Amino acid sequence: MTTMAEETVAGGARLREAAPGGKGLREAASEGVRRGQASSVVRRHELAAFLRSRRERITPEQVGLVRGPRRRTPGLRREEVAQLSSVGVTWYTWLEQARDIHVSVQVLDALARALLLDATERAHLFQLAGAVDPAPATACPALTPALRAVLEQLEPYPACLQNSRYDILAYNRTYGLLLCDLDAVPPEDRNCMILSYTNEEWRSSIVHLEEVQRVMAARFRTAMAKHLGEPAWKALLKRLRDQSPEFRAAWERHEVVAHRGKRKEFRNRYVGRLTVDHTDLWLGPETGPRMVTYAPADDDTRERLARLHAIALERRATSAG
């Protein structure tokens, strides 16, 4: 005996099947599933071929193994890669055979290290596996020698390169002394969000700090919408929430705002108050890496930036000597 609710559900299902176009909808759904399965098969075969090609190019000597007189395999053997990666030989063999098996990010990280992958190859490995790299490269592919030269040519104006997570990837000498002694900050802490909420020297250099923090949190939330599942973004968010009550309060507002140019004011410890116009120069079609520039908004700031640049040059010369 069926209940009224069950009859209602069953009746609804029969009506949907009988309705005009119902068959087409089911066929479209089935076609979508088939395409997804086909894409998964192609991805697994691409991953298998990529792993084989990387394995075969590495000599035993490169990873500290003895070649031996009877070796016929070009490069490394499968069991050697499995040993170096601390995974089972059978499991790794299945991976190179494009079997439908789950690959954790920890195993992908171990394989990338064992196969001596560079940053581009590592990113390709994780993309083929449909996984997010828990330790993405700190270097930005857009950070070329030419861009570093542009940063220097902009001096005495402060300028830096940032990614969408506010990591400071490179900076010129004036920027290095604009808000704090950036050379003295550990590389893992060179992030504008971290510095704005936790570094006292950086914070004290910002006029209208609360407003700046609120806007940055809103921009960070806007940018993070595209990276919600990525470990590096989640780790940065956790660190900010753990270390800063001010950030937690700003984050809970759920405000979002797009990047745009803005006039800013700083208190520099060497030359005094600075008023600058902030501009983001995007390095690609997406809102990812960008060059951040600060042009003087008045003659006093222009003269003070020139002095700050001279101080930076003198400090670099002293440290180099």
Side-chain angles (χ1 to χ4, degrees), residues 153-192:
Q153 290 300 312
L154 287 173
E155 293 175 341
Y157 296 172
C160 72
L161 261 63
Q162 296 179 20
N163 60 19
S164 56
R165 204 170 52 241
Y166 282 99
D167 294 323
I168 301 172
L169 307 173
Y171 52 92
N172 63 18
R173 289 162 292 198
T174 315
Y175 187 89
L177 290 182
L178 181 64
L179 294 157
C180 73
D181 184 357
L182 201 52
D183 288 348
V185 176
E188 62 271 19
D189 293 339
R190 292 176 190 167
N191 175 282
C192 290

Side-chain angles (χ1 to χ4, degrees), residues 158 174 177-180 201-202 204-207 264-276 296 298-309 311:
T174 315
L177 290 182
L178 181 64
L179 294 157
C180 73
E201 184 179 358
W202 187 283
S204 65
S205 298
I206 300 175
V207 180
K264 294 187 175 182
E265 296 180 80
F266 302 126
R267 302 183 196 92
N268 184 265
R269 61 183 294 188
Y270 298 103
V271 298
R273 198 177 185 99
L274 301 167
T275 304
V276 295
D298 53 53
D299 291 338
D300 287 343
T301 297
R302 183 175 292 103
E303 185 272 331
R304 289 169 184 169
L305 285 178
R307 284 165 46 201
L308 183 61
H309 178 236
I311 294 170

Side-chain angles (χ1 to χ4, degrees), residues 77-152:
R77 299 186 178 100
R78 285 175 175 170
E79 56 267 28
E80 291 171 335
V81 174
Q83 177 187 351
L84 292 168
S85 307
S86 299
V87 300
V89 177
T90 300
W91 186 92
Y92 180 75
T93 300
W94 287 349
L95 196 58
E96 281 203 9
Q97 291 174 344
R99 301 260 191 121
D100 187 7
I101 57 176
H102 173 72
V103 190
S104 70
V105 293
Q106 292 81 8
V107 167
L108 290 171
D109 177 69
L111 288 173
R113 296 175 188 276
L115 296 172
L116 306 179
L117 302 186
D118 62 25
T120 302
E121 292 168 333
R122 179 187 174 98
H124 187 63
L125 172 70
F126 275 82
Q127 188 170 15
L128 288 177
V132 176
D133 191 347
T138 55
C140 174
L143 185 53
T144 63
L147 282 175
R148 289 185 182 275
V150 170
L151 286 177
E152 290 190 10

Side-chain angles (χ1 to χ4, degrees), residues 191-205:
N191 175 282
C192 290
M193 295 292 296
I194 294 294
L195 293 168
S196 295
Y197 281 97
T198 67
N199 184 288
E200 286 307 317
E201 184 179 358
W202 187 283
R203 289 159 53 87
S204 65
S205 298

Side-chain angles (χ1 to χ4, degrees), residues 197 210-211 213-215 217-218 221 245-256:
Y197 281 97
E210 184 177 350
E211 178 189 349
Q213 288 178 326
R214 186 170 179 175
V215 170
R221 181 179 285 280
E246 295 165 318
F247 175 80
R248 289 198 300 273
W251 189 251
E252 291 306 317
R253 293 189 181 101
H254 288 267
E255 294 176 333
V256 292

